[in-house]
């Protein structure tokens, strides 16, 4: 039996002819094509000079730790409850006792205005809009005060590199306290700066050095150059203008290179809010930090940018959580790129994650809108993963939902 044929009518064809939404704004068009952090990364790579990209993306030495961070997340197996799927899971949680719309903290990143001229202001504003904490770096290119003003109503943390001259660090604490920063993040893993071979070959510096190589890279990105030259000068803005501490290349000499648990206790006495210790990579150090008064720990190898071949935070997580129990919150950074990654961290006992490169890719592609797009992608992916896992809320994600495969 054959079906009869007929001339198609317009109303029959119309559903097949609907195109994609038209975005008149170029930034919106770019972001609409990005369906993952991987997409953002590919697009971001084309939008900045090579030396800038190498700084944002690259790791230390042979980049082994950086590769292992991602390989660990690739080994994650998410295990759904077959009869437990939920339609509308709640991705909200608490971070250091206060509500957050998702288990995400935006990590500190130095020299952020290299990625996009709006820099830390844009990131802080996007985080505030999303209801998530943002951490400003000691080596930020926007001041503590100006960042707070860009994100009024937001929740800002300040990342501290402890200086040998404690008066400098105390000045940072005073300004952060005055601007109502919520928490202090002490970074432990940067007594010296890791060797980033790509940066060395590129002659990378702040401000960018005009070598033949960097000039060639800049010539291919006139928009980036124009934005850098026509906005405020690129400098380390948490230090006074002209300060020795704000000079490129001086950080190793000026930073404290012998941090001890007593330094955590010293900070607890001088800071009114929570103290988070970032850069923990062993159970022994986790326990020492908790005994010294740390309110939260961040398992981190600095995204593979410091000690190459360092332990992988995700692999260390269950052991640390088991050791510290409920005495402190534990977070993971280094390698987080998807909502599934976030679900894995929570399932293995973490309170949440810190993200760095992921939001920088969004910043490069679209400024504040790009950071917001990154956060939207991650939250949507987490919500979808929770739907399929059968977990109605973040607290329901447990070790029964996550397994690290052998390979």
């Amino acid at each position: 039996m054959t079906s009869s044929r007929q001339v198609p009518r317009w109303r029959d064809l119309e559903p097949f002819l609907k195109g994609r939404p038209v975005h008149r704004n170029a930034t919106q068009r770019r972001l609409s094509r990005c369906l993952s952090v991987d997409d953002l990364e590919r697009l971001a790579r084309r939008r900045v000079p090579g030396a800038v990209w190498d700084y944002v993306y690259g790791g230390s030495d042979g980049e082994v730790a950086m590769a292992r961070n991602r390989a660990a997340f690739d080994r994650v197996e998410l295990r759904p409850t077959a009869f437990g799927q939920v339609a509308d899971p709640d991705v909200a949680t608490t971070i250091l006792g206060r509500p957050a719309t998702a288990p995400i903290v935006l990590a500190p990143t130095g020299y952020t205005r290299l990625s996009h001229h709006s820099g830390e202001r844009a990131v802080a504003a996007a985080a505030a809009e999303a209801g998530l904490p943002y951490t400003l770096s000691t080596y930020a290119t926007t001041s503590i005060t100006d960042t707070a003003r860009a994100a009024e109503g937001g929740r800002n943390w300040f990342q501290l590199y402890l200086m040998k001259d404690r008066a400098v660090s105390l000045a940072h604490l005073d300004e952060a306290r005055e601007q109502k920063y919520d928490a202090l993040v002490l970074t432990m893993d940067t007594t010296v700066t890791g060797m980033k071979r790509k940066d060395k070959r590129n002659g990378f510096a702040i401000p960018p050095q005009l070598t033949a190589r960097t000039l060639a890279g800049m010539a291919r990105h006139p928009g980036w150059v124009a934005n850098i030259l026509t906005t405020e000068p690129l400098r380390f803005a948490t230090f006074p203008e002209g300060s020795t501490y704000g000079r490129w290349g001086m950080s190793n000499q000026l930073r404290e290179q012998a941090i001890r648990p007593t330094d955590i206790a010293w900070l607890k006495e001088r800071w009114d809010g929570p103290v988070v210790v970032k850069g923990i990579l062993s159970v022994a150090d986790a326990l020492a930090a908790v005994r010294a008064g740390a309110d939260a720990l961040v398992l981190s190898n600095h995204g593979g940018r410091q000690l190459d071949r360092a332990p992988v935070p995700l692999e260390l997580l269950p052991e640390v959580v088991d050791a510290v129990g409920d005495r402190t919150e534990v977070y993971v950074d280094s390698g987080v790129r998807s909502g599934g990654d976030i679900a894995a961290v929570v399932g293995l006992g973490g309170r949440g994650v810190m993200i760095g490169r992921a939001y920088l890719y969004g910043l490069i592609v679209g400024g504040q809108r790009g950071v917001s797009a990154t956060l939207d992608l991650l939250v949507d992916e987490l919500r979808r993963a929770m739907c399929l896992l059968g977990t109605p809320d973040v607290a329901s994600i447990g070790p029964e939902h996550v397994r690290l495969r052998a390979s």
Side-chain angles (χ1 to χ4, degrees):
M1 179 177 178
T2 60
S3 59
S4 60
R5 296 178 181 274
Q6 63 182 20
V7 176
R9 294 166 295 183
W10 171 253
R11 67 173 178 266
D12 298 323
L13 291 174
E14 188 178 8
F16 299 98
L17 299 175
K18 291 181 178 178
R20 293 180 178 180
V22 176
H23 299 286
R24 295 182 179 180
N25 181 281
T27 298
Q28 290 176 325
R29 283 198 300 274
R30 288 194 297 270
L31 292 172
S32 70
R33 298 194 295 268
C34 294
L35 304 180
S36 66
V37 169
D38 289 344
D39 289 344
L40 286 166
E41 179 193 316
R42 282 189 288 269
L43 193 52
R45 189 180 198 120
R46 304 198 297 264
R47 296 190 60 79
V48 291
V52 173
W53 177 255
D54 285 344
Y55 170 74
V56 171
Y57 176 82
S60 62
D61 297 302
E63 299 185 339
V64 175
M66 188 172 80
R68 286 177 178 171
N69 290 338
R70 274 312 310 162
F73 279 107
D74 289 342
R75 291 196 296 115
V76 165
E77 179 179 275
L78 295 178
R79 315 182 88 176
T81 304
F83 298 106
Q85 287 88 347
V86 293
D88 189 22
D90 183 4
V91 300
T93 188
T94 59
I95 292 176
L96 292 179
R98 291 182 54 186
T101 56
I104 300 171
V105 178
L106 282 74
T109 58
Y111 329 135
T112 307
R113 288 188 56 242
L114 270 179
S115 296
H116 190 277
H117 60 280
S118 60
E120 291 86 358
R121 290 182 179 88
V123 183
E129 185 177 27
L132 299 171
Y134 165 65
T135 315
L136 183 73
S137 170
T138 294
Y139 291 122
T141 45
T142 307
S143 73
I144 295 170
T145 297
D146 288 344
T147 300
R149 288 173 178 168
E152 291 186 8
R155 185 179 178 188
N156 293 318
W157 296 1
F158 182 67
Q159 177 270 331
L160 182 72
Y161 282 125
L162 199 60
M163 298 296 170
K164 292 175 181 176
D165 181 354
R166 293 296 195 267
V168 176
S169 295
L170 288 172
H172 282 146
L173 298 190
D174 288 344
E175 187 176 358
R177 184 182 297 107
E178 183 180 343
Q179 296 302 321
K180 297 182 169 44
Y181 278 60
D182 183 64
L184 188 68
V185 179
L186 174 65
T187 297
M188 301 282 290
D189 63 357
T190 321
T191 51
V192 297
T193 303
M195 168 55 77
K196 301 180 185 70
R197 295 172 186 169
K198 293 173 181 174
D199 291 351
K200 192 75 172 177
R201 294 185 184 110
N202 290 328
F204 180 83
I206 304 289
Q209 301 300 297
L210 299 180
T211 65
R213 185 167 185 163
T214 55
L215 282 171
M218 290 178 181
R220 291 191 291 270
H221 299 277
W224 180 90
V225 173
N227 285 327
I228 289 295
L229 293 179
T230 58
T231 55
E232 61 191 288
L234 200 60
R235 68 181 189 90
F236 300 126
T238 68
F239 300 100
E241 189 93 42
S243 166
T244 302
Y245 289 84
R247 294 178 189 170
W248 175 259
M250 293 293 291
S251 56
N252 283 345
Q253 291 93 327
L254 300 170
R255 269 197 314 262
E256 178 59 74
Q257 294 173 303
I259 295 176
R260 300 291 184 264
T262 51
D263 294 310
I264 300 172
W266 182 83
L267 287 172
K268 288 286 291 184
E269 292 174 358
R270 289 159 177 80
W271 178 253
D272 302 328
V275 172
V276 180
V277 179
K278 181 176 181 287
I280 297 294
L281 286 175
S282 73
V283 170
D285 284 349
L287 290 171
V290 171
R291 286 193 292 267
D295 299 284
L297 308 176
V298 183
L299 307 185
S300 169
N301 61 25
H302 220 101
R305 297 168 71 88
Q306 282 298 105
L307 177 64
D308 204 10
R309 302 177 186 271
V312 173
L314 182 69
E315 295 174 346
L316 186 64
L317 176 60
E319 191 178 358
V320 169
V321 169
D322 184 60
V324 302
D326 59 1
R327 286 176 287 172
T328 190
E329 297 180 356
V330 181
Y331 296 81
V332 166
D333 87 349
S334 303
V336 178
R337 294 174 68 97
S338 74
D341 295 343
I342 300 170
V345 168
V346 174
L348 292 174
R351 171 65 65 171
V353 303
M354 274 190 162
I355 60 166
R357 286 185 181 94
Y359 77 68
L360 287 180
Y361 300 154
L363 181 68
I364 290 170
V365 173
Q368 182 178 334
R369 286 180 178 173
V371 178
S372 295
T374 304
L375 299 176
D376 289 344
L377 281 172
L378 292 173
V379 171
D380 286 347
E381 288 172 348
L382 175 60
R383 183 177 288 111
R384 189 160 50 251
M386 290 172 62
C387 283
L388 297 171
L389 282 172
T391 51
D393 51 42
V394 170
S396 300
I397 308 173
E400 69 274 19
H401 297 110
V402 184
R403 180 168 77 99
L404 288 178
R405 298 171 63 90
S407 59

